[in-house]
Amino acid sequence: MNFLDAVPAIRRLETTRDDLLALDVVGHVSAADGENLFGLMEAAYALHPHIDVLVRLVDHDGVDWANIAEETLTQGTAHAMQHVGRCATIGEPDWTADARHVLRDAPSIEFKHFETEDEASAWQWLGARPTEEQQGRG
């Protein structure tokens, strides 16, 4: 299959908060999906100097970190440290410990993991909810 024909693994969710970047990560994340993720984050930073992030993992099957440009990873990490306040993850695997390690120079980022059945608590922790349209898809 041509990668241009593949369904993106990173999908933005509409929420009730403009300064919340909510994403579904579905299946395997290719390098192109990873680049897209960083692009979505940059767009959010352009609109809001400080954002929160919600990541919902659905049938997660790994990430091609090695194939994402080193410059993208370095810049993405630096910008996350400048702009992200809270990050909620929902589902498995719980990668919050890895994120804390990578972003150890940004102790101000608060990470919290929620089990899939506790998704409502994640949204509550961030003071938001998916829009009506998004609730029908989830």
Side-chain angles (χ1 to χ4, degrees):
M1 174 184 343
N2 181 328
F3 79 93
L4 293 175
D5 295 330
V7 175
I10 308 292
R11 303 172 195 165
R12 193 173 68 78
L13 302 170
E14 294 294 329
T15 77
T16 56
R17 271 186 59 194
D18 289 342
D19 61 345
L20 172 65
L21 176 62
L23 305 164
D24 269 349
V25 177
V26 182
H28 186 79
V29 179
S30 69
D33 292 319
E35 296 279 347
N36 181 47
L37 167 64
F38 288 110
L40 289 170
M41 294 183 79
E42 289 297 327
Y45 305 151
L47 296 172
H48 304 282
H50 299 286
I51 66 168
D52 290 333
V53 178
L54 179 137
V55 178
R56 184 168 57 185
L57 299 167
V58 181
D59 298 325
H60 185 64
D61 188 28
V63 179
D64 287 340
W65 291 114
N67 294 321
I68 299 173
E70 185 63 34
E71 179 181 347
T72 299
L73 293 172
T74 301
Q75 186 178 43
T77 300
H79 288 177
M81 290 190 299
Q82 295 170 354
H83 298 282
V84 177
R86 286 182 156 186
C87 180
T89 65
I90 303 165
E92 296 300 326
D94 175 2
W95 49 261
T96 54
D98 293 335
R100 280 187 194 99
H101 176 73
V102 169
L103 298 167
R104 64 186 166 274
D105 293 333
S108 62
I109 299 177
E110 190 176 357
F111 291 95
K112 193 166 183 179
H113 176 258
F114 297 85
E115 298 297 330
T116 301
E117 59 271 11
D118 295 329
E119 179 174 340
S121 297
W123 287 100
Q124 183 177 21
W125 184 65
L126 293 170
R129 63 185 185 279
T131 62
E132 294 298 320
E133 177 183 308
Q134 293 295 320
Q135 288 177 352
R137 291 185 195 176

